[in-house]
Amino acid sequence: MCLYNDLGGIFRGYGVAPGATPGTLGPVAASYYFRVKAVYDDDAAVLELLRSPADITLIPDGVDDQIVTGLAATGLCFTVDLTKFAHITTLPAISAFPTGTTGTTA
């Protein structure tokens, strides 16, 4: 899905990957595409960044600069207030998990 503000601007979400060493932070990544992980009664939602593993640009300048072929779950999540968005565009249903995985966590 993609989110738009009341002026028609598209929302870009950010996440920070875990670092190579436990307790450290890795690079910041951004995406214009998300999947909903949870929705709460207070109009909050947890969104997960979807990115193509082939996309080496961690922070795309615009929606047209992001590779959308093979969008996959990143595990990078954040919470948003859904009342702050004016429009949501959904994407065709895809499996956001690499082939051979179920998407479940232990």
Side-chain angles (χ1 to χ4, degrees):
M1 72 181 222
C2 295
L3 298 169
Y4 296 84
N5 64 25
D6 58 352
L7 300 176
I10 191 166
F11 175 75
R12 177 172 55 185
Y14 294 86
V16 179
T21 305
T24 63
L25 297 177
V28 174
S31 181
Y32 292 95
Y33 303 96
F34 317 99
R35 74 182 187 121
V36 177
K37 297 283 285 185
V39 177
Y40 301 102
D41 290 339
D42 63 353
D43 295 325
V46 176
L47 305 179
E48 179 178 13
L49 297 180
L50 295 178
R51 293 185 41 85
S52 171
D55 197 346
I56 60 171
T57 303
L58 291 178
I59 302 175
D61 289 330
V63 68
D64 294 333
D65 298 321
Q66 184 171 350
I67 296 174
V68 296
T69 304
L71 288 175
T74 62
L76 304 177
C77 300
F78 57 97
T79 303
V80 296
D81 178 349
L82 293 174
T83 66
K84 303 299 180 188
F85 298 100
H87 179 75
I88 297 173
T89 299
T90 58
L91 302 172
I94 62 166
S95 173
F97 299 102
T99 304
T101 64
T102 63
T104 58
T105 57

